[in-house]
């Protein structure tokens, strides 16, 4: 992607707020806000295997489009989908070019914890394509990623025992975002292998079982060629399985 392409994919502040407002207008239970979508996308883009919009859009919308509160305005839905696609591409471009992705974080945060909604969105993304994530979470060299389940409240639901200071909150946010960027690089070869395997599967010729064009002809039945002779005295007299004709 060229710098011009990346600039085109990046959203302006006004467009980001527009996307946040459109997502917030969804009244379906479980629908995600933009902060959660940001975390979800960061995980899916880094994932070692592909997750399609067919799989992740119901997570964002809290169900099907019909179950959301958005169906009454199709133009607004189309605009939101376009912004979501560009938001995805902008994150992917930041990860691929190792530039800083600054996630969308709302304050004061769920339960008063800055970044908790983002962290929970990220973990939902890891569960949509779970293969490989255990490996990185258990890798001692990738300890920064563990800050995500900690902030999400999945390591210790009672964490933190007391409200974190602004400095401590900033430290956890930096660790989470750095861990997410490292996860993208960590799974790079996995994504390449997955893409090559998927491409090979699409390129493989399809093998269809042989189907007889018509009913089986007995040796003493009239030959289907119309000669009036029995099949064994006509076309059936052709040489057996070596392909020769007698």
């Amino acid at each position: 992607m060229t710098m011009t392409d990346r600039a085109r994919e990046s959203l302006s502040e006004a467009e980001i707020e527009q996307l946040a407002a459109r997502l917030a207008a969804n009244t379906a239970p479980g629908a995600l806000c933009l902060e959660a979508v940001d975390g979800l996308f960061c995980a899916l883009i880094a994932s070692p295997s592909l997750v399609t919009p067919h799989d992740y859009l119901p997570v964002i919308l809290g169900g099907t489009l019909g179950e959301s509160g958005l169906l009454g305005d199709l133009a607004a839905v189309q605009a939101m989908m376009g912004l979501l696609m560009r938001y995805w591409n902008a994150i992917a471009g930041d990860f691929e070019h190792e530039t800083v992705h600054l996630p969308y974080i709302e304050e004061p945060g769920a339960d008063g914890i800055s970044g908790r909604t983002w962290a929970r969105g990220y973990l939902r993304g890891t569960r949509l394509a779970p293969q490989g994530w255990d490996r990185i979470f258990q890798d001692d060299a990738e300890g920064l990623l563990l800050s995500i389940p900690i902030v999400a409240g999945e390591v210790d639901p009672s964490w933190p025992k007391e409200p974190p200071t602004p400095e401590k909150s900033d430290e956890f946010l930096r660790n989470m975002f750095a861990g997410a960027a490292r996860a993208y690089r960590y799974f790079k070869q996995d994504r390449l292998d997955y893409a090559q395997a998927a491409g090979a599967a699409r390129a493989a010729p399809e093998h269809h079982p042989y189907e007889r064009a018509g009913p089986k002809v007995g040796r003493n039945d009239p030959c289907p060629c119309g000669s009036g002779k029995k099949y064994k005295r006509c076309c059936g007299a052709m040489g057996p399985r070596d392909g020769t004709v007698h």
Side-chain angles (χ1 to χ4, degrees):
M1 182 183 292
T2 65
M3 290 301 294
T4 302
D5 292 334
R6 291 180 62 200
R8 188 180 300 117
E9 294 298 348
S10 298
L11 277 67
S12 66
E13 290 295 328
E15 288 175 319
I16 290 174
E17 292 305 322
Q18 180 186 16
L19 177 57
R22 292 189 186 281
L23 290 168
N26 185 356
T27 58
L32 302 187
C33 64
L34 182 55
E35 180 178 342
V37 168
D38 194 304
L40 180 84
F41 280 2
C42 284
L44 294 180
I45 290 167
S47 174
S49 58
L50 174 68
V51 179
T52 67
H54 175 79
D55 296 315
Y56 67 71
L57 280 177
V59 175
I60 294 174
L61 298 177
T64 65
L65 186 58
E67 293 167 336
S68 72
L70 304 174
L71 198 56
D73 189 346
L74 289 180
V77 170
Q78 290 175 339
M80 184 183 76
M81 294 303 177
L83 291 173
L84 280 172
M85 181 181 68
R86 288 174 57 202
Y87 202 87
W88 171 291
N89 290 339
I91 295 174
D94 287 340
F95 281 168
E96 181 62 26
H97 294 87
E98 299 187 15
T99 53
V100 177
H101 169 61
L102 296 177
Y104 185 91
I105 302 296
E106 296 179 346
E107 297 296 350
D111 306 320
I113 308 301
S114 182
R116 172 157 283 185
T117 298
W118 184 92
R120 289 174 174 172
Y122 191 95
L123 293 179
R124 291 193 73 171
T126 67
R127 288 163 186 149
L128 282 178
Q131 296 82 4
W133 284 100
D134 284 347
R135 189 170 86 241
I136 189 172
F137 277 117
Q138 294 169 6
D139 190 331
D140 292 338
E142 300 298 332
L144 288 175
L145 201 66
L146 288 176
S147 58
I148 295 177
I150 290 174
V151 172
E154 294 199 3
V155 174
D156 179 2
S158 64
W159 180 92
K161 304 299 182 183
E162 57 187 33
T165 64
E167 293 76 18
K168 197 64 177 177
S169 290
D170 287 345
E171 179 184 347
F172 269 99
L173 289 175
R174 287 195 301 270
N175 288 345
M176 287 199 304
F177 306 153
R182 287 179 65 90
Y184 181 83
R185 296 192 292 273
Y186 186 93
F187 288 126
K188 183 173 184 178
Q189 189 58 51
D190 295 75
R191 291 192 300 273
L192 290 172
D193 293 343
Y194 181 90
Q196 289 174 354
R202 287 194 298 269
E206 295 186 28
H207 297 284
H208 299 284
Y210 170 76
E211 295 182 5
R212 189 183 303 278
K216 182 178 180 180
V217 180
R219 288 178 54 77
N220 291 313
D221 291 339
C223 188
C225 74
S227 66
K229 299 179 181 180
K230 291 183 178 181
Y231 176 66
K232 67 181 180 181
R233 300 294 183 187
C234 189
C235 294
M238 294 199 175
R241 301 173 188 177
D242 59 359
T244 58
V245 178
H246 297 273

